[in-house]
């Protein structure tokens, strides 16, 4: 069950002014956290995909900046330079598809606790690999894993941030003297997995499931312009680590006609790594989906790309981190509200295609989701505003 915490009216000067959102929660709105979650996950562990061509997948992965952790004829494991688990596990399959996310539990005991509560069975991660994993499904039918005690890699040498003459003081104290700035045109070395974004027509049920089951908490809500009373239609959700800061969002979800993957994001060192790495990807013939810019919710510097199979992945840097004391912000959904600066959002990023129309028609025929013709029109209008 979600907590009901009294909230002040949404007025100028309230708790969220000059913090991360102009508006906070109104009385009676979703609190953005659960009263008594089953467990509290610590982070994403890895994402699972299937791909028909692992050779092509590996080439793109290296160009994007991943390190290959292991490779067999039927499985490719990718990691970043930071210590931790693999970031992506790709298994050979008949088509390119996202299988599901795997979250990292605080302890192996949490894996068993979740298995008991959900009536499932925990099992070893894989033959010869440490750790236990339990697999459940969210209300949209997306497979969600929770792992404890999984194998973790040591740090690797990373990409150093460039020293900057920022001009912050009038005393003309320079960081870089008698030295030029020449960032290498090379892959932006991925440091770690940051977040995954999912779409679901069962937004309200899915939101509550991640809060009640995995103990996650909301950083920001978006709502349809003119229809805030309906409730949120997008949520940026972080892990609850108490007083320890966590990424603004480890998971983001939005209402839409399909169930599944939108994009995943991977941290790199800084803006120069994003830009020089982007030039490298362009020279290699890959397609940019949107960027470079800086988001509003989460504040990340971003750059979105399509892999050879059309799945969207993001380089990001300099994202917000919140501890558990920060309450959700509320803002109206719009395409112009996706970035503080950068090029206009692209149709490619928004996912406008004839296939989307077919998905919408199927969703509207179903009676177990949050989509109505009016809400679908409002979503389309918001994404063109």
């Amino acid at each position: 069950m979600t907590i009901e915490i009294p909230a002040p009216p949404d007025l100028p000067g309230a708790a969220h002014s000059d913090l991360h959102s102009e508006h906070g929660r109104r009385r009676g709105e979703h609190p953005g956290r659960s009263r008594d979650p089953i467990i509290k996950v610590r982070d994403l562990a890895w994402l699972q995909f299937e791909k028909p061509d692992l050779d092509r997948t590996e080439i793109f992965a290296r160009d994007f900046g991943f390190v290959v952790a292991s490779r067999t004829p039927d499985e490719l494991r990718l990691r970043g330079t930071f210590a931790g688990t693999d970031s992506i596990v790709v298994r050979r399959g008949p088509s390119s598809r996202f299988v599901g996310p795997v979250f990292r539990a605080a302890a192996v005991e949490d894996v068993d606790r979740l298995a008991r509560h959900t009536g499932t069975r925990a099992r070893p991660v894989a033959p010869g690999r440490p750790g236990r994993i339990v697999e459940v499904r969210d209300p949209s039918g997306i497979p969600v894993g929770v792992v404890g005690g999984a194998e973790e890699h040591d740090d690797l040498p990373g990409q150093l941030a460039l020293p900057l003459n920022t001009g912050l003081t009038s005393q003309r104290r320079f960081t870089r003297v008698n030295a030029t700035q020449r960032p290498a045109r090379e892959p932006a070395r991925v440091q770690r997995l940051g977040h995954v974004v999912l779409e679901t027509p069962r937004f309200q049920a899915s939101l509550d499931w991640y809060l009640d089951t995995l103990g996650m908490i909301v950083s920001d809500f978006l709502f349809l312009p003119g229809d805030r009373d309906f409730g949120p239609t997008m949520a940026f959700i972080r892990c609850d680590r108490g007083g320890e800061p966590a990424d603004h969002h480890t998971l983001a979800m939005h209402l839409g006609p399909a169930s599944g993957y939108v994009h995943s994001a991977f941290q790199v060192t800084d803006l120069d790594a994003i830009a020089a790495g982007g030039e490298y990807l362009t020279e290699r013939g890959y397609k940019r989906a949107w960027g470079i810019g800086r988001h509003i919710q989460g504040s990340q510097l971003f750059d979105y790309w399509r892999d050879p199979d059309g799945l969207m992945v993001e380089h990001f840097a300099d994202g917000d981190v919140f501890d558990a004391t920060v309450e959700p912000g509320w803002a109206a959904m719009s395409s112009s509200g996706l970035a503080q600066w950068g090029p206009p959002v692209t149709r490619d990023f928004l996912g406008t295609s004839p296939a989307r129309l077919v998905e919408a028609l199927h969703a509207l025929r179903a009676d177990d989701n949050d989509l109505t013709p009016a809400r679908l029109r409002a979503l389309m209008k918001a994404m063109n505003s």
Side-chain angles (χ1 to χ4, degrees):
M1 297 293 292
T2 51
I3 305 171
E4 183 50 47
I5 304 171
D10 187 350
L11 297 172
H16 286 79
S17 293
D18 302 320
L19 182 56
H20 69 108
S21 175
E22 184 179 354
H23 302 293
R25 184 171 71 97
R26 294 173 177 170
R27 191 176 303 278
E29 289 185 319
H30 200 297
R33 60 186 70 198
S34 177
R35 181 188 301 276
D36 187 22
I38 298 172
I39 62 170
K40 292 184 178 182
V41 295
R42 293 282 297 173
D43 206 346
L44 273 172
W46 59 81
L47 303 178
Q48 301 183 98
F49 294 85
E50 287 184 356
K51 296 276 190 176
D53 188 338
L54 294 190
D55 291 334
R56 185 173 67 171
T57 299
E58 181 179 343
I59 291 170
F60 174 77
R62 292 183 184 276
D63 290 342
F64 192 76
F66 287 107
V67 175
V68 174
S70 67
R71 170 72 196 270
T72 70
D74 295 314
E75 183 181 82
L76 172 65
R77 289 177 173 263
L78 305 172
R79 60 161 295 186
T81 59
F82 283 3
T85 63
D86 298 325
S87 296
I88 290 181
V89 177
V90 187
R91 297 183 178 92
R92 188 180 301 280
S95 62
S96 176
R97 72 182 188 97
F98 175 67
V99 176
V102 176
F103 291 87
R104 180 167 60 88
V108 175
E109 291 76 15
D110 284 347
V111 174
D112 295 322
R113 181 180 298 112
L114 181 59
R116 289 195 302 271
H117 275 263
T118 57
T120 53
R121 180 176 295 179
R123 61 169 176 80
V125 169
R129 291 184 178 272
R132 288 173 63 77
I133 188 169
V134 60
E135 294 174 324
V136 291
R137 287 184 181 269
D138 73 8
S140 301
I142 297 171
V144 177
V146 177
V147 67
E151 178 184 9
E152 297 196 8
H153 306 289
D154 294 331
D155 277 312
L156 292 175
Q159 202 163 8
L160 297 178
L162 296 180
L164 303 178
N165 288 333
T166 58
L168 289 177
T169 66
S170 60
Q171 284 78 25
R172 305 284 285 172
R173 294 171 183 166
F174 299 109
T175 301
R176 194 180 76 256
V177 177
N178 294 338
T180 58
Q181 200 74 287
R182 301 291 186 271
R185 189 166 295 189
E186 62 183 5
R189 275 172 261 177
V190 168
Q191 296 171 329
R192 63 183 181 92
L193 167 61
H195 63 261
V196 63
V197 180
L198 304 176
E199 177 179 316
T200 173
R202 302 192 65 196
F203 177 81
Q204 301 285 348
S206 297
L207 169 65
D208 287 341
W209 186 89
Y210 281 97
L211 307 191
D212 293 337
T213 307
L214 304 187
M216 306 182 81
I217 54 181
V218 176
S219 298
D220 279 289
F221 281 127
L222 300 184
F223 57 89
L224 293 175
D227 194 16
R228 182 164 174 171
D229 290 342
F230 167 69
T233 50
M234 184 165 187
F236 298 87
I237 310 168
R238 69 188 185 277
C239 295
D240 182 356
R241 298 181 184 173
E244 179 185 346
D247 285 335
H248 173 272
H249 55 283
T250 300
L251 167 69
M253 290 192 308
H254 67 78
L255 176 64
S259 294
Y261 178 87
V262 178
H263 75 259
S264 51
F266 302 88
Q267 181 177 288
V268 299
T269 302
D270 57 13
L271 180 58
D272 276 286
I274 291 174
E279 290 299 304
Y280 181 86
L281 287 169
T282 298
E283 290 172 351
R284 300 281 287 177
Y286 300 111
K287 180 184 178 185
R288 174 179 271 124
W290 183 37
I292 299 171
R294 186 181 282 275
H295 281 307
I296 295 178
Q297 281 77 26
S299 304
Q300 298 95 335
L301 296 162
F302 65 81
D303 196 18
Y304 294 91
W305 293 85
R306 295 282 180 182
D307 77 1
D309 297 304
L311 295 181
M312 189 156 58
V313 287
E314 175 191 2
H315 283 143
F316 80 92
D318 190 33
D320 295 337
V321 292
F322 293 168
D323 64 27
T325 65
V326 177
E327 294 294 327
W330 287 71
M333 179 181 285
S334 70
S335 61
S336 61
L338 293 173
Q340 301 178 47
W341 56 262
V345 64
T346 63
R347 289 186 177 273
D348 184 14
F349 178 82
L350 294 176
T352 56
S353 68
R356 297 288 284 165
L357 178 58
V358 174
E359 291 171 344
L361 292 174
H362 282 300
L364 290 174
R365 292 193 186 105
D367 57 6
D368 62 345
N369 63 55
D370 302 332
L371 270 184
T372 65
R375 287 181 192 135
L376 183 58
R377 287 193 297 270
L379 281 169
M380 294 172 64
K381 183 178 179 181
M383 288 300 95
N384 284 283
S385 62

